[in-house]
Amino acid sequence: RCGKEQLRNVGLAELSLRRIASEVGVSQVAPKHHFGNKEGLLAAIAASGFRDLTEFRFSRLRPNMSPEQRLRTLLSASVTFATPNPTLFHLMFAPHFKEPETHAELNEAASQSYQMVARAAADYLSAKGKAVEVDPHMVARVAWMSMHGVATLIIENRINPFGATKVSREQLTNQTLDMLFAGIRGMHGLDE
């Protein structure tokens, strides 16, 4: 928790094991003993971020949603989560980890977050009668990448290129989802 708070307040460059140890009231070597090094701490923070994202997505779901509404909600929740947590969001997806395979907790948390979207994509395709013909991971991956791009552009305040019609964050998110679902339906012959 202290690491996430420090990430939010001082940024990635200034985050330090020594400062965290001091704030938590433990010896200077305690964080190294627990996390190994700064990369280990960052992996733990990123894993916690993925768990937070998964919980946030889940909290947005409602029992009476259609499969498309569930998938749209999970995807838009990624953008809604990322916007107030830009440094954490960048850490979760950034190449800070020299040997990602050594961070089992991070890999597990990231996988659970992605699998939530993949299951919703599979449910959507099943409801459209295309569970066998269309790979839900292809749909989930492209959808995830699209929303990641939207979140990144929003965080960097770059959603309105010069000469383009101005849109709000919500409009950009909804337009992206509309285009994404129109593409899925068009490519795979899904009925409305």
Side-chain angles (χ1 to χ4, degrees), residues 4-134:
K4 281 168 71 175
E5 190 176 303
Q6 199 176 105
L7 181 68
R8 184 175 28 257
N9 294 335
V10 301
L12 184 58
E14 298 298 318
L15 184 122
S16 76
L17 291 172
R18 186 170 289 155
R19 182 180 292 145
I20 291 171
S22 175
E23 286 185 26
V24 175
V26 297
S27 74
Q28 298 289 328
V29 295
K32 282 189 179 186
H33 177 71
H34 189 71
F35 298 107
N37 55 25
K38 187 174 179 179
E39 182 176 318
L41 171 66
L42 294 177
I45 293 169
S48 178
F50 276 111
R51 287 190 297 273
D52 292 347
L53 173 58
T54 300
E55 287 178 29
F56 182 75
R57 283 176 170 159
F58 187 73
S59 75
R60 313 274 297 196
L61 296 176
R62 301 294 174 260
N64 60 343
M65 288 180 162
S66 71
E68 181 173 335
Q69 288 171 323
R70 280 195 306 273
L71 183 54
R72 280 178 171 266
T73 298
L74 293 175
L75 294 169
S76 66
S78 300
V79 175
T80 306
F81 174 84
T83 304
N85 301 294
T87 311
L88 178 61
F89 176 75
H90 285 308
L91 175 64
M92 290 162 58
F93 293 99
H96 290 284
F97 309 108
K98 296 176 186 143
E99 298 178 17
E101 64 278 358
T102 64
H103 301 293
E105 178 189 14
L106 172 56
N107 294 335
E108 177 65 23
S111 178
Q112 285 180 358
S113 184
Y114 167 77
Q115 291 301 327
M116 187 177 201
V117 175
R119 282 190 303 274
D123 291 346
Y124 170 72
L125 293 169
S126 181
K128 295 291 186 180
K130 295 289 184 173
V132 175
E133 297 94 336
V134 183

Side-chain angles (χ1 to χ4, degrees), residues 111-188:
S111 178
Q112 285 180 358
S113 184
Y114 167 77
Q115 291 301 327
M116 187 177 201
V117 175
R119 282 190 303 274
D123 291 346
Y124 170 72
L125 293 169
S126 181
K128 295 291 186 180
K130 295 289 184 173
V132 175
E133 297 94 336
V134 183
D135 180 8
H137 289 285
M138 183 270 302
V139 171
R141 184 178 293 116
V142 170
W144 166 68
M145 291 168 55
S146 298
M147 300 320 288
H148 183 88
V150 170
T152 300
L153 290 171
I154 288 173
I155 287 169
E156 295 174 0
N157 199 26
R158 306 297 272 167
I159 64 171
N160 288 304
F162 293 111
T165 305
K166 292 200 180 289
V167 295
S168 69
R169 295 170 174 193
E170 295 78 21
Q171 287 171 317
L172 178 62
T173 301
N174 290 329
Q175 288 170 354
T176 303
L177 287 169
D178 290 346
M179 293 287 283
L180 180 66
F181 278 90
I184 294 167
R185 286 190 294 268
M187 280 182 67
H188 302 294

